[in-house]
Amino acid sequence: MKPALQSRLHELYFGGSGAALRFQSWMLLLDVALIAFFIVAPFIERDTAFFILDYAIAAILAIDLGLRAFAFGDVRRWLRRPIVWADFAVLASLVAPVFAANLGFLRIMRIYSLVQGENLWRVVASGRWVDTNVQDTARAAANLVIFVFVAASLVHAGFAGRANHINSYLDSLYFTVTTLSTTGYGDVVLPGPWGKVLSIIIMIGGVSLFIRLVQVTMRGAKVRFPCPQCGLLRHDPDAIHCKACGARIRIPHDND
């Protein structure tokens, strides 16, 4: 049996009670504030106040990770979750300011842990968007945003001051977006073979993620109804057979 404190924390972090949803809402607001800071951080001067704030955020995230691990109970299984890896990547970028130029891009992974986690979808719209096109579209958009900022950071870390017209993070972001969109103005070009390789990766990866976003956005709406035979959760609104196992299903409608 879990200790009382662990049970209470488990309910707050992973439960669906009123108190848990209020707690998770406050945590989501904190996440949004942190992500906003991480996005503007490359444009902020690295002075003493900046690093103090970095360490303060790192302490908050470390405490949060420790409480989550304790609340989850099975630490080994908890560590196998990709969103936990993303949070550790963010924490690594915060506690290693000496390497901030190289690790700063990891901070944007907080978007991944936010959108891929369960708390956001449990709180927003009272859980009505779980396993819907809205959730799929948000996750696809988040993957594209993460790719853009990670690629821009790699460009900045490897080529700032070496490539013509790349002197700031904004220049690196500009090159990434024009390359990803295949606009290719040609005013900024990465030098050397590694520059060409990175440009190819940005074009292929970015276009693939953008196409995925369009596919998810344009895909027909699904309804949440578990198949009694195989458990498939999502079906077309007018489906009479499960597309996975072929079992006959009867999806209830509002006029039934």
Side-chain angles (χ1 to χ4, degrees), residues 97-158:
V98 174
F99 306 103
N102 295 322
L103 294 180
F105 68 92
L106 294 175
R107 300 177 183 187
I108 204 65
M109 294 300 292
R110 191 68 181 183
I111 296 179
Y112 178 85
S113 62
L114 173 65
V115 177
Q116 298 294 334
E118 300 172 355
N119 288 3
L120 173 65
W121 305 108
R122 189 183 297 119
V123 172
V124 175
S126 301
R128 290 194 300 272
W129 290 343
V130 175
D131 292 318
T132 65
N133 277 23
V134 173
Q135 186 184 58
D136 290 342
T137 301
R139 287 177 170 175
N143 289 338
L144 180 60
V145 170
I146 292 169
F147 180 85
V148 168
F149 280 95
V150 168
S153 297
L154 290 175
V155 170
H156 188 68

Side-chain angles (χ1 to χ4, degrees), residues 4 16 28 32 55 68 98-99 126 133 137 179 191 199 237:
L28 289 177
V32 171
Y55 282 123
R68 286 179 185 272
V98 174
F99 306 103
S126 301
N133 277 23
T137 301
T179 303
S199 299

Side-chain angles (χ1 to χ4, degrees), residues 4 20 34 42 44 57 82 122 126 151 179 191 216 218 228 235 250 254:
L34 292 180
I44 301 177
I57 294 174
R122 189 183 297 119
S126 301
T179 303
V216 171
M218 300 300 293
H235 301 275
R250 186 180 187 279
D254 293 339

Side-chain angles (χ1 to χ4, degrees), residues 173-218:
L173 185 61
Y174 165 79
F175 168 80
T176 300
V177 173
T178 56
T179 303
L180 179 151
S181 63
T182 68
T183 303
Y185 292 119
D187 53 339
V188 182
V189 178
L190 301 185
W194 288 113
K196 292 182 175 66
V197 169
L198 183 55
S199 299
I200 292 171
I201 292 173
I202 292 173
M203 283 185 281
I204 295 177
V207 169
S208 300
L209 289 172
F210 180 76
I211 292 175
R212 171 61 180 167
L213 175 59
V214 173
Q215 288 176 335
V216 171
T217 303
M218 300 300 293

Side-chain angles (χ1 to χ4, degrees), residues 71-109:
F72 195 83
D74 188 342
V75 177
R76 290 186 178 181
R77 188 159 65 92
W78 179 75
L79 288 173
R80 291 196 293 265
R81 307 176 74 193
I83 60 174
V84 176
W85 305 345
D87 285 336
F88 274 114
V90 174
L91 185 60
S93 72
L94 291 166
V95 299
V98 174
F99 306 103
N102 295 322
L103 294 180
F105 68 92
L106 294 175
R107 300 177 183 187
I108 204 65
M109 294 300 292

